[in-house]
Amino acid sequence: MATTLKVNGAETRVDAAPETPLLYALRDDLGLNGPKYGCGLGQCGACTVLVDGRAVLSCVTPISVIGSRAVETVEGLGTAEAPGPVQRAFIELQAMQCGYCIPGMMMRTEALLRDNPDPQDHEIRAAFQTNLCRCGTHMRIMKAIRRAAELYRDANPVQEG
Amino acid sequence: MRAEGILRLLAGLVVLAVLGLAAFLLLARRAEIAPDASAATREFAPELVARGADLAAVGNCVACHTEPGEPAFAGGFDLPTPFGDIFSTNITPDPETGIGNWSLDAFRRAMRQGVDREGNHLYPAFPYDQYTRISDADIEALYAYLMTRPAIRREDTPNELIFPLGFRPVLAGWKFLFFDEGERPVQSDKSEDWNRGAYLAEGLGHCSGCHTPRNAFGALAESRHFDGGEAEGWQAVALNAANPAPIPWTEDSLYQYLHQGWNETHGIAAGPMAEVTANLRFLPDADVRAMAVYLMDQMGTREPRVTDRADLAADRGAELYAGICAQCHEDSKPLSFGGVALSQSTPVSAPHPQNLVNLVMFGLPPADGEAAPIMPPFADALDDADMVTLLTYLRARFSAAPAWQGLDRIVRDTRSGEYPVTTLPPNGIERGPANVNAAGG
Amino acid sequence: MMSGRPETAKPFDLSRRQVIAGAGGLIVGYTFLPAFAQVAAPEAPAPEPAHLPGSLDDTRLLDAWIHIAPDDAITAFSGKAELGQSIKVPLKQIAAEELGIGIDQLTLVNADTGRTPDEGFTAGSMTIQYSGTALRNAAAQVRVLLIAAAARRWGIAPDGLRAENRQIIAPDGRTLRFGELVAETDLHVEALPESPLTDPANFRLIGQSLPRPDIALKATGGAAFIQDLRPEGMVHARVIRPASPGATLIEADIAAAEAMPGVVAVIRDGSFLAVVAEREFQAIGAMRVLQASANWQDGPALPDQTAMSAWLEANVSETGTVAEEGDPDAAEGETYEAVFTRPYLMHGSIGPSCALAVLERDDMTVWSHTQGVFADRDAIAELLNMDPARVRVIHAEGAGCYGHNGADDAAADAALIASKLPGRPIRLVWMREQEHANEPYGPPMLLKLRAKLGDGGMISAWSYDLYSSTHTGRPGGPPALLAGQMKADPYPPFVGKLSIVPTGNGDRNANPYYTIPNRRILWNFIEAAPLRISSLRALGAFANVFAVESAMDELALMAGTDPVEFRLRHLEDPRARDVVERAATEFGWSGIGEPGGTRGVGFAYARYKNLASYLALAVEIEVDPAVGDVRLVRAVAAIDAGEAVSPDGIINQTEGGILQSMSWTLFETVTFDQGGITSTDWSSYPILRFSHVPDSVAVHVIDRPGQPYLGAGEAAQGPTCGAIGNALRNTIGRRVHDLPLSRERVRHALQA
Ligand code: FES
Ligand code: FES
């Protein structure tokens, strides 16, 4: 059974059972490395991707519910040569230890900033309550989110009206 | 002639009403009780303070008197009511902004009569209609507990109520109509446990506050005691014969649920109930047991109604169930960490779908630093149509009760925030922001 | 990259097939393979060889560390693995510094039994200390040999020659490329004990915080982790594990699983049960079916978790003396006595263990995020009854591991599966609940402490009774591997032995690094281990420092002295005093104040292992008395890790250590009942989430140019725990002695 997915702007067909979690389709069928398997239970956020701009845990989201909605992974935020604002912020602040949790953190940052370009600390904490980091990189992640907000605002100036 | 007579009668009534109002306004404010400068520095026996802590847990004082992220008991928590927003007050022993200069008498009057130290009537969002039932000794213990908390200087936030409710004397009229003061009498034909349970559940525990419906004036509709009510966007299920749990509660299962917030055959406490069970966990076992005894007597016994039509057509709903719910809810992992079999779920069998909508939409946020179940939110994974299809399937497959009406609208309004829902982690401690992740969509 | 099949991942290109086919024999990497050389021709027993710096002492040939190709390509080899602690950049900084080249002119190869030196385990904050020291000396000696070769060519004295930009440059400006010189330079020589190291005043690279190239890769979806390897023909495996440790498999519905779509094979070997399928989610589905149908004979009942202290006391097998000086019993003074405990703790890597294995003809290649590729190779070879020379274990990066987690077990699982399905690359991933329930934990400890405060407010005696098993389950061989215990004809479980060494194990930092005239530190050793255990970041130091630093604060209170002042009074080592003073100053330490509010401060200090990094920190916490919740608000640390190769790396590691230790301290306990582990996911084993992240953490690095590297990765674990415990005491007026300092315990203490 094939399902059509729109991932990082490109349409692809995935030949997997409809209840297959999006995470495995992205990793195994599309060869994407960004979304990570951390728990498969919706408890850690390592698998966070965007679906129509909103943060979704791909390990508990079957491919059958995506429909025509746009899926984005860290690969869609930019490239190593031309990183997007969120990627630039994490690289600039060297906000990683092992880095396994970071793509999920970056996708949640992207979702938060699209919704709220100027998040306060308590809003960041609330939004990131879903995402775990075991290396204790949290201080840098918080800084990178704040820095990403600045870069993001520069890259997407608020439109009048 | 006839018209004239009617006019005269009306005029008479107006005069009466004006006189009545004048008299009522005289009563409408009570005498101030003098500030007691020594109150906050008084010493209390540690046993008294410890008992007060247990009682405060039963009353769940901390939940309403704490703004999320702010110091405990310092007030400022927004309680939305149909009549506007009421902000809880600072009940730490700070003399200027809290209750630091309240004597025991002043505190007792607040608990029993709903009047503050200065003599103002209090809004029944503070459930003195139930707190009035508790004993003087327990009021003193609570007083000792609160007066030994850290004093926090924090000004109260003014309420935002619709006219004329911002005018406190109106409350005198409300009390006249709906408030009945006094300790709860012992029912001698019932066991000691039953009486203890009733004392806790109907007094400090104020179970009725959520589980009994309210009338148009916000007062408890006592004729429909425990018929179920509503709190912070969640349905408080009926605690009488109408309780919708597929497997009837037993004294043991209810005890376990109240004590630890979950039970194998019923699942976990969610929404504001999570906060209640998070507090009850600190209460002496015998007290929790006693509450279970009393509540079981209210619910009575009946046969289980467990339904699982596994042979339902393999449609879209079944596909969604397999992809979304089955991973955890058909797992062998025991509660509290595995999901309850949905055939045993009260939200699936309840008369109103709101709790199930809330759970699927917002999940159970993780309790920071505490072992407690986590359920991921599906608000952003599922669009409205899939959400309705899934919930309709769950109802059809796992409940004998009739299909829900108006599910689309409920899903829509819950997602948009039109119907506000407070989400809490299953240990009830941190309050999540209302409608997490649900805006936009 | 977006559609169709992913490209075959790079590391697989290095598989034995290419090596053999391409080079027509064991040449390429193996020339530099001392371990292999040893297997082939063990060195004749020689007179005691000279001691060489760092890991050079074990791997003595220069070309095992540095390789220079005729085309100037320079490769450095390190047996240490990247475990998320970011060691690659500092190792390159060190080698490039001494070779006089740019950091980008050097390739670093880590932890591959086919290519790199055997440096044992990547653990104990010793990578820079051992591997860094070896590379630095080796590189300096290679530079000298290249300069000598150039001098010979030019017929001039080597004195004025220098290395720069992969060239040797003469004073008159003549140059020769490294690649030209290497043909006439024998690097296959044993290193000398002394090297002409670059003067710290002339460092170009060491001491710089250079950006990590892997960060940009990981931030943009590059293949960076073992999980990202996808060799052609790869299939997905899952294992099935019992709830009860030591359980044996009676039966499972293998036929049902075999009939499921995509299933390639169900593998049973004794109690070892696994499934292999074409697609990952098919493997998971089949695993669930097997799990549901599997019938296990439970292993021995586990002890009562709530009575672990009694269990530890009842199971002492022998007692060892860690330190003894004077007579603590006879010393005079006011006595302070207390008992501290810590529970089983989990590594809890965010990425569950993963391994890739393939058997091609008679050669097994395994990719693993193990800390010890060589020990893992030996264990797997023994497990599969293979010649170690036919097994190659290549390190591939996993998520942060913080010690010895399930990585080696997963590698063995994958190899065992691969051995039954020749030719197919097997990708095995543990499920989250398997990682939680099967990784080897950090063991529980019971610590009985008794100290005396004598004249002049000085400690006169210190007695310490430590109850703990070993903290390391390795090397251990097949008995330490789950697959070894589960396969038919199983190995008996690994049993630890008491061994007291300077770096410490369970006794790490049990001996206080303070001036105390009379002391006796005993390790009551427990051989039995109801749950599998192995190294968890800092080993015994985490709880030992908690106990020691708690006692230091209590003794300071007894002495009526500020705790910082009290510590300084008992510290002679000037570097120790420096970190204490620096942390206190940067924090703005002004005493502990009176308990009773909701905020308080605490201080702690330790020299890790009593011979590595110095770290002191001050913290401020906030307590919510209604629920007993503790939040670390602010932490200020000072660390002296010797010469700082990459200050930002040290800061990053220390910040991470502080936050992780805070999570251990406040939240974590492995839970179990008679039948097995009950903390099997993040809901039942909660760790730090963002709501408890501090408002600020500051780390001040005291650089010691020219001093030996001391290692930074684990120094914060103990002091952080101690400082939080002290801050809690200073806030609520009562001490909580049992870890974690959970809400329930804090609330209890408040009511006591
Ligand atoms: S892997 Fe999806 S939330 Fe953990
Ligand atoms: S950086 Fe390692 S888990 Fe977050």
Side-chain angles (χ1 to χ4, degrees):
Chain A
M1 208 179 312
T3 305
T4 302
L5 293 174
K6 198 167 123 203
V7 181
N8 297 329
E11 296 229 336
T12 40
R13 283 164 68 79
V14 170
D15 188 24
E19 68 272 17
T20 305
L22 178 60
L23 173 66
Y24 300 115
L26 296 174
R27 287 195 61 86
D28 299 343
D29 293 285
L30 305 183
L32 297 172
N33 298 317
K36 298 281 193 280
Y37 170 73
C39 67
L41 303 163
Q43 299 179 346
C44 77
C47 64
T48 307
V49 300
L50 301 191
V51 174
D52 260 5
R54 308 201 49 93
V56 158
L57 301 172
S58 64
C59 71
V60 288
T61 303
I63 50 174
S64 69
V65 308
I66 305 298
S68 59
R69 293 184 291 170
V71 177
E72 288 166 87
T73 69
V74 96
E75 286 86 347
L77 299 185
T79 60
E81 295 70 40
V86 173
Q87 292 169 321
R88 288 209 325 266
F90 276 79
I91 296 168
E92 181 184 311
L93 290 159
Q94 296 280 291
M96 268 185 217
Q97 284 181 65
C98 76
Y100 195 84
C101 68
I102 298 295
M105 299 281 179
M106 294 203 307
M107 295 322 284
R108 196 160 292 278
T109 307
E110 182 74 24
L112 175 66
L113 295 181
R114 285 191 197 176
D115 211 43
N116 176 0
D118 189 16
Q120 303 303 297
D121 260 21
H122 71 272
E123 292 169 319
I124 296 177
R125 286 169 192 266
F128 281 74
Q129 197 65 347
T130 350
N131 288 51
L132 290 174
C133 171
R134 185 55 162 166
C135 294
T137 314
H138 304 73
M139 304 310 298
R140 287 183 185 218
I141 294 170
M142 297 271 292
K143 278 189 205 127
I145 298 164
R146 286 184 221 115
R147 177 73 183 128
E150 286 171 23
L151 294 173
Y152 207 88
R153 282 197 299 273
D154 295 348
N156 305 282
V158 186
Q159 318 249 298
E160 290 300 318
Chain B
M1 276 303 159
R2 246 178 140 187
E4 197 181 309
I6 290 168
L7 275 177
R8 206 176 288 143
L9 182 64
L10 277 179
L13 280 175
V14 168
V15 171
L16 259 182
V18 169
L19 283 175
L21 183 65
F24 155 82
L25 285 178
L26 281 177
L27 294 172
R29 197 188 149 88
R30 302 292 194 74
E32 169 168 355
I33 295 180
D36 176 356
S38 68
T41 53
R42 260 181 66 186
E43 299 269 326
F44 297 92
E47 309 76 62
L48 194 65
V49 175
R51 195 151 60 85
D54 290 345
L55 293 164
V58 182
N60 195 13
C61 314
V62 70
C64 289
H65 283 281
T66 308
E67 195 188 341
E70 296 297 320
F73 299 119
F77 179 61
D78 181 358
L79 296 137
T81 74
F83 316 106
D85 284 18
I86 294 181
F87 292 89
S88 66
T89 54
N90 182 345
I91 56 168
T92 72
D94 180 61
E96 269 147 52
T97 60
I99 60 168
N101 59 11
W102 287 36
S103 62
L104 175 59
D105 279 348
F107 183 74
R108 190 186 302 114
R109 184 172 73 173
M111 294 291 287
R112 273 231 197 285
Q113 301 177 0
V115 176
D116 71 8
R117 189 191 62 74
E118 287 89 348
N120 300 308
H121 290 289
L122 296 169
Y123 290 96
F126 172 55
Y128 51 82
D129 48 344
Q130 290 148 81
Y131 290 172
T132 188
R133 306 271 175 262
I134 73 177
S135 71
D136 275 356
D138 282 355
I139 291 178
E140 192 181 343
L142 262 178
Y143 178 72
Y145 174 70
L146 289 174
M147 289 315 232
T148 49
R149 294 312 89 204
I152 306 292
R153 210 194 135 73
R154 191 172 199 269
E155 295 290 345
D156 287 338
T157 313
N159 298 329
E160 292 160 10
L161 292 167
I162 54 168
F163 179 81
L165 296 174
F167 185 59
R168 284 184 184 258
V170 171
L171 290 166
W174 188 91
K175 283 183 178 174
F176 175 74
L177 291 170
F178 304 116
F179 177 58
D180 148 39
E181 179 186 335
E183 242 179 275
R184 184 184 170 91
V186 169
Q187 238 165 285
S188 52
D189 58 332
K190 300 286 190 184
S191 72
E192 206 174 301
D193 266 0
W194 188 97
N195 273 294
R196 176 74 184 153
Y199 172 80
L200 291 169
E202 301 290 0
L204 256 186
H206 65 288
C207 305
S208 272
C210 299
H211 289 275
T212 296
R214 293 181 183 269
N215 65 20
F217 301 94
L220 296 175
E222 274 307 337
S223 59
R224 299 178 54 204
H225 191 240
F226 282 164
D227 260 358
E230 200 191 331
E232 300 182 41
W234 295 77
Q235 296 285 309
V237 296
L239 297 182
N240 51 26
N243 180 274
I247 296 182
W249 288 97
T250 64
E251 199 184 297
D252 281 342
S253 60
L254 192 54
Y255 161 78
Q256 189 196 29
Y257 177 84
L258 292 173
H259 181 66
Q260 59 193 34
W262 60 272
N263 167 266
E264 264 98 11
T265 52
H266 293 81
I268 55 116
M273 191 62 198
E275 220 160 22
V276 174
T277 55
N279 278 315
L280 292 182
R281 152 176 84 142
F282 298 123
L283 203 64
D285 275 4
D287 281 348
V288 183
R289 248 308 141 205
M291 288 172 82
V293 168
Y294 171 71
L295 292 172
M296 275 316 300
D297 189 43
Q298 305 299 303
M299 287 191 268
T301 50
R302 61 166 166 81
E303 290 303 305
R305 293 188 283 258
V306 180
T307 309
D308 180 358
R309 298 193 196 98
D311 55 347
L312 231 52
D315 61 0
R316 173 88 180 149
E319 187 181 298
L320 292 172
Y321 170 77
I324 292 174
C325 316
Q327 291 278 338
C328 292
H329 287 274
E330 281 188 15
D331 193 10
S332 55
K333 220 162 157 209
L335 273 177
S336 60
F337 305 112
V340 71
L342 293 177
S343 57
Q344 298 174 11
S345 152
T346 298
V348 175
S349 279
H352 195 285
Q354 189 67 51
N355 288 0
L356 188 63
V357 171
N358 294 351
L359 283 165
V360 177
M361 192 103 57
F362 308 122
L364 294 168
D368 198 356
E370 290 266 277
I374 299 172
M375 173 165 156
F378 289 95
D380 293 323
L382 295 174
D383 61 17
D384 283 4
D386 273 345
M387 186 82 77
V388 170
T389 306
L390 175 62
L391 300 191
T392 305
Y393 174 82
L394 295 181
R395 177 72 160 186
R397 174 162 167 192
F398 294 114
S399 173
W404 285 308
Q405 300 303 309
L407 202 48
D408 330 24
R409 188 184 39 76
I410 294 169
V411 164
R412 200 174 54 237
D413 290 353
T414 307
R415 186 193 290 278
S416 69
E418 175 77 24
Y419 183 77
V421 174
T422 303
T423 52
L424 287 174
N427 71 342
I429 303 296
E430 297 89 0
R431 282 173 175 268
N435 294 20
V436 177
N437 280 341
Chain C
M1 282 301 284
M2 265 310 309
S3 54
R5 292 218 59 87
E7 286 175 51
T8 300
K10 264 270 156 50
F12 193 70
D13 296 342
L14 297 173
S15 89
R16 186 173 301 270
R17 177 167 31 197
Q18 277 93 341
V19 173
I20 293 171
L26 293 174
I27 303 173
V28 182
Y30 292 79
T31 320
F32 313 110
L33 178 63
F36 179 76
Q38 275 162 27
V39 170
E43 279 174 39
E48 185 75 358
H51 178 80
L52 298 182
S55 296
L56 273 177
D57 205 32
D58 302 315
T59 302
R60 308 173 72 91
L61 297 175
L62 289 182
D63 64 353
W65 296 93
I66 308 278
H67 177 241
I68 298 173
D71 67 350
D72 291 342
I74 306 174
T75 311
F77 299 90
S78 165
K80 298 289 188 180
E82 177 61 55
L83 306 171
Q85 80 284 42
S86 178
I87 51 125
K88 288 193 179 184
V89 174
L91 288 177
K92 286 171 80 170
Q93 278 172 272
I94 289 169
E97 182 78 75
E98 293 295 351
L99 286 169
I101 59 175
I103 191 150
D104 298 329
Q105 295 173 322
L106 176 83
T107 310
L108 179 73
V109 173
N110 293 87
D112 175 346
T113 61
R115 305 181 75 191
T116 68
D118 179 358
E119 290 196 76
F121 300 102
T122 304
S125 305
M126 295 185 296
T127 295
I128 302 299
Q129 201 176 338
Y130 285 86
S131 206
T133 302
L135 272 174
R136 179 146 178 215
N137 283 275
Q141 296 187 23
V142 167
R143 169 173 37 85
V144 169
L145 292 175
L146 292 170
I147 285 178
R152 271 198 310 277
R153 266 257 204 129
W154 289 322
I156 59 177
D159 293 359
L161 305 190
R162 63 198 159 90
E164 195 180 308
N165 196 26
R166 290 189 287 196
Q167 295 174 330
I168 302 298
I169 306 178
D172 59 11
R174 276 182 294 174
T175 61
L176 279 168
R177 290 186 301 106
F178 282 13
E180 296 172 63
L181 292 168
V182 77
E184 54 212 65
T185 310
D186 187 7
L187 297 183
H188 196 69
V189 294
E190 186 163 317
L192 302 171
E194 300 286 336
S195 320
L197 298 181
T198 304
D199 180 346
N202 299 328
F203 281 165
R204 301 165 297 120
L205 296 170
I206 293 180
Q208 306 281 321
S209 294
L210 301 176
R212 283 166 48 187
D214 68 312
I215 287 189
L217 186 73
K218 289 170 180 172
T220 52
F225 293 99
I226 187 168
Q227 286 87 352
D228 305 333
L229 302 180
R230 301 177 183 92
E232 201 60 55
M234 181 178 87
V235 282
H236 295 273
R238 289 294 183 280
V239 287
I240 293 88
R241 291 272 141 89
S244 160
T248 46
L249 180 62
I250 300 167
E251 60 185 358
D253 194 346
I254 289 173
E258 278 172 343
M260 291 178 71
V263 170
V264 174
V266 174
I267 286 159
R268 179 174 178 182
D269 183 344
S271 294
F272 181 89
L273 186 61
V275 59
V276 180
E278 295 290 347
R279 306 185 63 94
E280 194 161 11
F281 198 57
Q282 291 169 336
I284 294 172
M287 176 205 74
R288 299 252 180 253
V289 165
L290 286 166
Q291 200 161 31
S293 70
N295 189 357
W296 301 87
Q297 165 81 51
D298 279 359
L302 298 178
D304 178 0
Q305 191 193 345
T306 60
M308 277 316 282
S309 292
W311 186 90
L312 289 168
E313 279 184 293
N315 282 279
V316 174
S317 45
E318 64 183 303
T319 297
T321 303
V322 178
E324 190 154 27
E325 206 181 315
D327 183 355
D329 300 328
E332 298 283 317
E334 192 187 341
T335 303
Y336 165 74
E337 246 177 314
V339 178
F340 302 86
T341 65
R342 68 158 254 190
Y344 281 107
L345 290 172
M346 212 178 266
H347 300 81
S349 177
I350 288 296
S353 295
C354 175
L356 207 68
V358 62
L359 180 70
E360 289 177 305
R361 278 176 242 130
D362 295 328
D363 296 310
M364 176 73 76
T365 309
V366 182
W367 285 262
S368 168
H369 48 109
T370 172
Q371 289 184 302
V373 283
F374 290 90
D376 210 21
R377 174 200 60 190
D378 293 348
I380 289 171
E382 190 181 338
L383 179 82
L384 301 179
N385 207 3
M386 287 178 74
D387 175 357
R390 308 238 69 113
V391 178
R392 178 174 179 194
V393 178
I394 303 171
H395 185 267
E397 207 177 323
C401 64
Y402 331 106
H404 178 194
N405 67 355
D408 301 46
D409 295 304
D413 290 347
L416 183 52
I417 297 167
S419 73
K420 317 220 173 201
L421 284 176
R424 304 223 60 176
I426 305 291
R427 177 182 190 262
L428 171 81
V429 181
W430 277 9
M431 303 301 287
R432 168 51 55 197
E433 61 271 23
Q434 294 174 338
E435 184 78 22
H436 264 59
N438 293 290
E439 64 147 282
Y441 306 124
M445 292 166 80
L446 167 69
L447 313 163
K448 297 183 180 176
L449 191 152
R450 185 157 191 244
K452 292 181 192 162
L453 186 71
D455 290 343
M458 294 297 289
I459 303 167
S460 57
W462 193 282
S463 321
Y464 191 72
D465 259 276
L466 149 72
Y467 294 78
S468 162
S469 61
T470 178
H471 283 237
T472 49
R474 62 189 175 194
L481 298 170
L482 267 181
Q485 294 176 26
M486 299 188 76
K487 74 182 212 17
D489 219 347
Y491 292 84
F494 169 83
V495 178
K497 289 274 167 278
L498 174 64
S499 141
I500 293 173
V501 293
T503 50
N505 180 300
D507 58 332
R508 182 171 290 174
N509 282 88
N511 188 14
Y513 195 75
Y514 292 109
T515 311
I516 301 165
N518 302 291
R519 65 178 80 205
R520 186 184 310 112
I521 317 293
L522 301 178
W523 183 356
N524 299 288
F525 186 80
I526 291 129
E527 205 170 78
L531 300 176
R532 271 178 3 119
I533 53 99
S534 197
S535 312
L536 172 66
R537 199 175 188 181
L539 308 192
F542 173 64
N544 288 326
V545 172
F546 169 63
V548 168
E549 290 299 289
S550 297
M552 286 304 284
D553 259 39
E554 292 296 331
L555 292 162
L557 282 171
M558 281 164 61
T561 310
D562 177 80
V564 174
E565 165 58 31
F566 188 74
R567 283 178 175 79
L568 288 171
R569 200 185 273 178
H570 292 86
L571 280 174
E572 276 159 25
D573 185 340
R575 289 172 72 174
R577 298 179 65 90
D578 278 0
V579 291
V580 168
E581 281 165 357
R582 181 76 186 274
T585 313
E586 299 282 356
F587 182 80
W589 183 263
S590 61
I592 58 172
E594 282 298 310
T598 54
R599 286 211 176 195
V601 296
F603 197 91
Y605 152 82
R607 179 174 190 194
Y608 187 48
K609 303 178 187 169
N610 288 349
L611 49 73
S613 285
Y614 302 81
L615 187 140
L617 87 168
V619 302
E620 180 177 5
I621 63 161
E622 180 173 46
V623 180
D624 177 347
V627 290
D629 184 56
V630 177
R631 185 169 81 89
L632 177 62
V633 177
R634 184 163 78 97
V636 177
I639 177 169
D640 169 355
E643 181 175 278
V645 178
S646 168
D648 190 58
I650 296 176
I651 293 171
N652 202 1
Q653 280 289 291
T654 307
E655 278 177 9
I658 292 171
L659 266 76
Q660 187 180 65
S661 173
M662 181 250 279
S663 179
W664 294 357
T665 302
L666 296 177
F667 308 131
E668 300 182 24
T669 314
V670 172
T671 60
F672 50 93
D673 58 22
Q674 281 212 334
I677 306 299
T678 51
S679 45
T680 55
D681 62 7
W682 298 121
S683 66
S684 43
Y685 189 85
I687 62 169
L688 166 69
R689 286 184 186 268
F690 273 88
S691 58
H692 273 79
V693 167
D695 294 346
S696 75
V697 172
V699 176
H700 301 274
V701 178
I702 300 181
D703 191 6
R704 303 281 183 195
Q707 292 291 324
Y709 310 128
L710 298 180
E714 306 175 317
Q717 307 308 108
T720 303
C721 181
I724 293 175
N726 288 336
L728 180 61
R729 152 66 187 75
N730 297 336
T731 309
I732 68 172
R734 297 208 168 79
R735 185 165 294 282
V736 180
H737 298 88
D738 300 303
L739 294 172
L741 311 175
S742 63
R743 284 182 178 153
E744 204 173 329
R745 290 200 172 115
V746 172
R747 199 173 183 277
H748 212 261
L750 275 160
Q751 282 172 12

